[in-house]
Amino acid sequence: MIPISICLLFFIQPVVSKLVFLQTACRHGDRAPAGPYPSYKHNDFWTNGLGRLTDQGVLQCYNNGKMYREYYSDLFSSTYDPEEMVVSSSSIDRTSTSGAAFASGFLRKLDYLSSLKSGKEKLTFVPYPVHDISLDIDYYLIGSAVICDRYKSSYERFVSSNQYKLFVAKNQDLINQVCEKAGYSMDSWSIHSVKQVYDTAVCDKANGVELPEWLEEDLLANITEMVGMAKKLALTDSDVRKFHVGGGAFVHLILENLRSFVNGSTKSKFNIIYAHDTTLLGFLANMEYGHLERNPNYSSCINIEIHQNESEYFVDVMYKRETDSMQMERLNVPDCPEDDSCPWNLFLASMETLELPNPSLACRPTDIVLQVTFTASHLIVSCVAISILLITLLTVAFSCGKNREATKLNSRSLYNMPYEPLKFMHDI
């Protein structure tokens, strides 16, 4: 006789989930320094322009596209489908170029533009649209420091705090040493200036540019540690974290894409955004990531995967920190099961607590937001009060009109008392 447990194996099949949608946000590829320090001597080295992608950066993003196509191959069609992928970026050159390079690597083996690939010119670069967000409305990827007044006021309050002042005092000797060597005037000796030195040094090292003699390895290590801790410290402030790029507005952008898929209003299977290290750091802070002092590497990405298990959706949030690898670590979403997929409704409820659905309103100065809120809430009360008053006046007027007619006939009004119309009723 066959044991019952063995028989059950023929009838009980494991429920297998299937990846059905992928939302990705990546940092751009390797770039030139965005703003070199005053004594910097290698501006001419960066032939593509300051702040723009290097040739190495283009290749990193191209290879990233190849890796994603292979790693998530089960999600995508084997032939070109123009509605399958949406690529977007901030309006900065290095992110839009990164998105274009990624798309080229992602589509390189498909039949897209096959006649051009095999023709006389043998086109090897695959053009694909990259949709950028104009800086004047970009609360999501890069623009908060420029257009979000609430972020600016929150950050100013943070740098005025005792916590930040103590951090600066602890590192003041290092700040002074670095800023003096870098050629800054004394009124610019600050952590911000040290960040510029750090950024330039990182770009130089990645591209084989010789560092100045004064910027020794030990000093650079101390700078790296201080800059990392400064970023982490700022993101411990709840308001800074909320209005930071990668914060509440970015969460809203991501959730809109995910909702569009779940409710069936988009045919896209893959939405990829190319942004900045600050964007990824802001999101990681809201996910309560424990290593915010570690700056996201070039072409590092956050992947939000939607899996379908029969009729239910589950979400995994993964962090790919390495440039040339698809190795990932799971990010734990607040209030979701730890180290496991999160049911869609639970994920959505958790993320909506972080969301800023109307960033243009939320980013206004606090007093204006309060004024708008006051006006909106009290307008309703005022309208109700005015309506009640008008109804009362009309009722009185109607009654007085009838009594006036009665007075003409009998010179006596209700209850047999003399009647004298109110003066303001004569003026109506």
Side-chain angles (χ1 to χ4, degrees):
M1 185 175 185
I2 301 174
I4 294 176
S5 58
I6 295 178
C7 291
L8 288 174
L9 291 175
F10 293 97
F11 297 99
I12 300 176
Q13 297 294 328
V15 179
V16 179
S17 64
K18 177 184 178 183
L19 178 66
V20 290
F21 185 80
L22 177 63
Q23 171 66 63
T24 295
C26 297
R27 187 189 178 191
H28 54 76
D30 179 79
R31 62 164 172 81
Y37 49 88
S39 64
Y40 187 67
K41 298 179 180 179
H42 301 291
N43 285 338
D44 293 340
F45 175 84
W46 307 101
T47 55
N48 290 352
L50 294 177
R52 290 180 167 82
L53 283 195
T54 62
D55 293 350
Q56 180 183 192
V58 173
L59 186 60
Q60 287 170 347
C61 297
Y62 179 84
N63 287 334
N64 208 27
K66 290 167 58 178
M67 290 191 297
Y68 266 77
R69 184 84 203 190
E70 181 178 351
Y71 188 87
Y72 290 108
S73 58
D74 291 343
L75 178 62
F76 305 115
S77 305
S78 57
T79 57
Y80 172 70
D81 182 349
E83 295 185 328
E84 195 167 64
M85 176 176 67
V86 176
V87 184
S88 54
S89 75
S90 69
S91 62
I92 308 301
D93 285 358
R94 57 182 174 268
T95 53
S96 56
T97 307
S98 294
F102 177 95
S104 186
F106 185 83
L107 299 168
R108 79 192 195 289
K109 287 188 176 180
L110 301 187
D111 59 354
Y112 177 49
L113 299 182
S114 56
S115 61
L116 292 176
K117 292 178 183 178
S118 60
K120 183 178 179 180
E121 299 297 331
K122 294 190 181 304
L123 182 69
T124 56
F125 183 83
V126 180
Y128 195 81
V130 177
H131 309 272
D132 65 15
I133 302 175
S134 177
L135 186 61
D136 60 349
I137 58 171
D138 186 3
Y139 300 93
Y140 317 94
L141 308 180
I142 188 62
S144 284
V146 179
I147 62 174
C148 185
D149 290 322
R150 289 291 298 279
Y151 172 76
K152 288 185 280 189
S153 62
S154 297
Y155 189 77
E156 288 169 1
R157 178 184 50 75
F158 163 73
V159 297
S160 299
S161 67
N162 290 334
Q163 182 186 27
Y164 185 77
K165 289 178 180 178
L166 286 172
F167 178 78
V168 173
K170 179 182 176 181
N171 291 279
Q172 193 65 63
D173 289 343
L174 176 61
I175 295 169
N176 294 349
Q177 177 189 359
V178 173
C179 289
E180 181 179 16
K181 292 290 186 180
Y184 287 101
S185 59
M186 289 187 67
D187 59 352
S188 297
W189 288 10
S190 65
I191 287 181
H192 175 74
S193 296
V194 176
K195 288 180 180 178
Q196 295 295 96
V197 175
Y198 164 76
D199 175 79
T200 304
V202 168
C203 296
D204 285 348
K205 288 193 69 176
N207 290 274
V209 178
E210 185 179 1
L211 300 180
E213 291 184 3
W214 59 267
L215 193 51
E216 299 174 344
E217 285 298 323
D218 289 346
L219 179 59
L220 182 56
N222 291 336
I223 292 172
T224 302
E225 181 181 2
M226 186 194 72
V227 168
M229 291 306 298
K231 292 180 179 179
K232 181 177 182 177
L233 189 62
L235 288 169
T236 60
D237 184 279
S238 59
D239 282 342
V240 171
R241 188 166 64 245
K242 183 176 184 179
F243 295 102
H244 195 277
V245 290
F250 178 75
V251 169
H252 173 64
L253 179 66
I254 295 297
L255 288 183
E256 284 293 274
N257 293 337
L258 299 179
R259 292 186 191 108
S260 294
F261 172 78
V262 170
N263 65 28
S265 61
T266 180
K267 296 181 180 179
S268 171
K269 296 180 181 179
F270 181 30
N271 192 307
I272 179 166
I273 300 168
Y274 260 95
H276 306 264
D277 57 345
T278 50
T279 319
L280 269 61
L281 275 175
F283 183 79
L284 289 169
N286 280 282
M287 293 295 100
E288 301 175 5
Y289 184 66
H291 301 289
L292 295 176
E293 72 280 359
R294 301 177 187 172
N295 208 50
N297 293 323
Y298 294 127
S299 285
S300 57
C301 304
I302 291 167
N303 300 302
I304 303 178
E305 306 169 355
I306 296 184
H307 299 262
Q308 188 171 11
N309 184 338
E310 295 182 343
S311 61
E312 296 183 276
Y313 291 118
F314 294 85
V315 182
D316 289 323
V317 184
M318 312 298 289
Y319 180 30
K320 181 190 92 72
R321 186 169 181 267
E322 300 305 319
T323 301
D324 300 319
S325 168
M326 290 299 290
Q327 182 178 353
M328 304 185 206
E329 60 180 302
R330 180 185 297 275
L331 298 178
N332 290 315
V333 180
D335 302 322
C336 281
E338 190 171 346
D339 298 322
D340 198 2
S341 299
C342 187
W344 165 251
N345 288 336
L346 188 58
F347 169 83
L348 188 61
S350 174
M351 296 300 289
E352 284 177 343
T353 64
L354 306 172
E355 183 181 18
L356 284 179
N358 190 344
S360 62
L361 176 62
C363 276
R364 295 179 184 179
T366 307
D367 55 342
I368 294 180
V369 173
L370 290 175
Q371 181 181 350
V372 171
T373 304
F374 175 86
T375 303
S377 60
H378 286 75
L379 180 60
I380 298 173
V381 176
S382 300
C383 289
V384 172
I386 291 172
S387 299
I388 293 172
L389 178 61
L390 287 174
I391 291 172
T392 303
L393 292 177
L394 290 172
T395 301
V396 172
F398 180 75
S399 299
C400 289
K402 292 182 67 176
N403 289 335
R404 186 180 298 155
E405 293 299 319
T407 302
K408 291 180 181 178
L409 295 174
N410 199 354
S411 71
R412 310 291 287 184
S413 66
L414 193 62
Y415 304 121
N416 208 33
M417 295 291 291
Y419 171 77
E420 179 63 33
L422 295 173
K423 183 179 185 303
F424 78 89
M425 296 300 296
H426 288 295
D427 300 328
I428 294 177

